Amino acid sequence: MIYSTLGRLIPQRQVTSTPRRIVVIRPCCIGDVVMATAALTALRETFPQARISFAVGSWSAAAIADHPALDALIDTGDAALPSRSPAEFLRFLKKLRAGRFDLAVSLTRSPLMSLAVYLSGIPLRAGLDSAGRGFGYNLRVGVDPAAREHESAVYLRVISAVAGRPCHAYANLPVDSAAQDEIQRRLKAASVSRPFIVAHPGGGSNPGMTMDSKRYPPAQLADMLDRVARETTSALILIGGPGDEEAVDAVARRLSAPSIAWIDQLNFAQIAALAAESRCYIGNDTGMTHLAAAAGAATAMMMGPSDPGRYAPFTKNHLVLWKSTALRAGGVGTTPGSDWDWARDGFSVEDGAGKIQDFLQTIESQERP
């Protein structure tokens, strides 16, 4: 195979000096970027004095812009990868060269990204090598596409290779104080004072993929939210981004419990702050759910045609709602969306509501003095 041949032409090396300028590359998408914060944190702990930049797409940049481990962002554009066209490839290559980096940490499996990093002239290039596609890196970390390994753990293996020792951290997005103040203002204006649950019915669409089958059906979600709100005496706040109006409305009009809806009203920092203030955040397998979990919220992720072993939140305080089922091996570890049937393959309303209630009771019992 050509990738393997190219890899043999580029000798591997180890870190022999402390890098001063580092670029981390993970352009898309929000969930992947949030899962990469574990690696980013471990990298900062390894090189506390280095200047660390993060190359990220316009779609996801705001999710990580204020992370304390970062010094700068490099905008890679609107596409899922900045290397799909010759013009994008050359623009991204120019940005890498302009950064005068000592170390590149690539957390993508793209052979074009591998080539771009190789041509950048960055002396130490660490990255994922799946089926030989990491040929352009000189510190390659092998990835078995069929292995059931969490994405954050895969990214951390790259940092461990750079550090020369095992590294670990959880996904994390510290909450911004200004965002906290704004959320408190909004909650007061909406007369939300008792404990509340945040739910996001949408998601499943980004520059790299559209998969509406990831969304738990609105009728079942409304039923589940009603049960949890009633049993926990919680208010309900539905949120959504641009394009989520229909998904949010489909749930809101089926609810019996009182609720408010904030659609396309909150930025990423404010969503993180709202989630952190909530009793629980409930969402589909989407970037927003990863963001909520990384912000410290007790989070319930509703998973359907994707593998929690690979894509569940990489945090301490989360619950996965998933009915064990056969998934396609390798790659992103998903079954094709057209083959997925929530009634046949997914978890039930009763099971989901019961598990969320047990989850919250366990958390609250641990918080008691």
Side-chain angles (χ1 to χ4, degrees):
M1 188 177 183
I2 187 170
Y3 297 153
S4 299
T5 301
L6 290 172
R8 286 194 291 270
L9 298 176
I10 300 173
Q12 295 222 57
R13 56 174 289 190
Q14 299 295 319
V15 178
T16 56
S17 60
T18 301
R20 294 174 300 168
R21 299 177 67 87
I22 302 171
V23 59
V24 178
I25 304 168
R26 178 64 269 193
C28 183
C29 293
I30 295 171
D32 296 314
V33 169
V34 173
M35 286 189 284
T37 59
L40 173 62
T41 299
L43 185 66
R44 171 57 73 196
E45 290 172 352
T46 303
F47 302 113
Q49 302 304 316
R51 177 177 173 81
I52 300 179
S53 301
F54 201 112
V56 62
S58 306
W59 179 273
S60 307
I64 199 172
D66 298 319
H67 199 285
L70 277 181
D71 296 296
L73 291 181
I74 298 174
D75 188 347
T76 64
D78 295 329
L81 281 172
S83 51
R84 292 293 177 88
S85 73
E88 291 172 342
F89 185 95
L90 291 174
R91 277 196 295 269
F92 181 60
L93 183 57
K94 183 177 180 180
K95 289 181 179 181
L96 288 182
R97 288 177 172 171
R100 301 174 65 184
F101 299 108
D102 307 302
L103 167 65
V105 176
S106 175
L107 304 179
T108 80
R109 295 167 171 82
S110 164
L112 287 175
M113 182 61 73
S114 173
L115 177 62
V117 175
Y118 171 71
L119 294 175
S120 70
I122 297 172
L124 183 60
R125 306 177 300 278
L128 302 177
D129 186 24
S130 177
R133 289 177 287 183
F135 60 87
Y137 311 130
N138 51 16
L139 181 51
R140 295 186 284 274
V141 176
V143 179
D144 179 358
R148 191 170 185 252
E149 185 177 9
H150 197 284
E151 279 293 282
S152 288
V154 172
Y155 301 160
L156 281 165
R157 288 204 287 114
V158 180
I159 309 305
S160 296
V162 170
R165 57 174 175 79
C167 294
H168 182 78
Y170 286 105
N172 62 94
L173 285 173
V175 177
D176 177 73
S177 60
Q180 286 179 315
D181 293 342
E182 174 61 16
I183 289 301
Q184 290 300 327
R185 186 193 68 78
R186 286 176 175 267
L187 291 172
K188 183 177 180 180
S191 299
V192 178
S193 57
R194 61 178 175 170
F196 61 90
I197 289 170
V198 178
H200 179 209
S205 179
N206 57 57
M209 178 193 69
T210 297
M211 197 173 182
D212 289 344
S213 59
K214 283 187 171 186
R215 297 180 179 180
Y216 198 56
Q220 288 94 312
L221 179 55
D223 189 1
M224 186 173 72
L225 291 175
D226 271 334
R227 295 180 188 219
V228 175
R230 181 175 60 250
E231 293 298 321
T232 63
T233 319
S234 300
L236 289 175
I237 300 176
L238 304 182
I239 65 168
D244 282 337
E245 293 86 355
E246 185 177 343
V248 173
D249 180 67
V251 173
R253 57 189 167 84
R254 289 176 167 90
L255 285 171
S256 298
S259 67
I260 61 172
W262 290 338
I263 305 172
D264 198 19
Q265 296 184 37
L266 306 176
N267 60 32
F268 287 161
Q270 291 163 356
I271 291 171
L274 178 67
E277 287 288 326
S278 72
R279 172 173 273 175
C280 182
Y281 181 102
I282 301 172
N284 296 303
D285 174 17
T286 71
M288 286 298 97
T289 309
H290 282 285
L291 183 147
T299 304
M301 177 180 275
M302 302 177 291
M303 301 196 76
S306 49
D307 189 346
R310 298 173 184 260
Y311 304 116
F314 200 68
T315 60
K316 292 181 179 180
N317 199 18
H318 73 268
L319 168 70
V320 171
L321 301 176
W322 187 65
K323 178 182 174 183
S324 182
T325 188
L327 296 172
R328 186 175 63 198
V332 296
T334 62
T335 35
S338 59
D339 294 344
W340 184 260
D341 184 292
W342 277 102
R344 180 193 65 210
D345 304 317
F347 64 89
S348 68
V349 168
E350 294 79 5
D351 185 49
K355 286 183 176 177
I356 291 173
Q357 291 167 41
D358 291 343
F359 176 55
L360 295 180
Q361 286 175 2
T362 299
I363 292 171
E364 288 164 5
S365 66
Q366 292 172 346
E367 290 175 347
R368 294 190 194 106

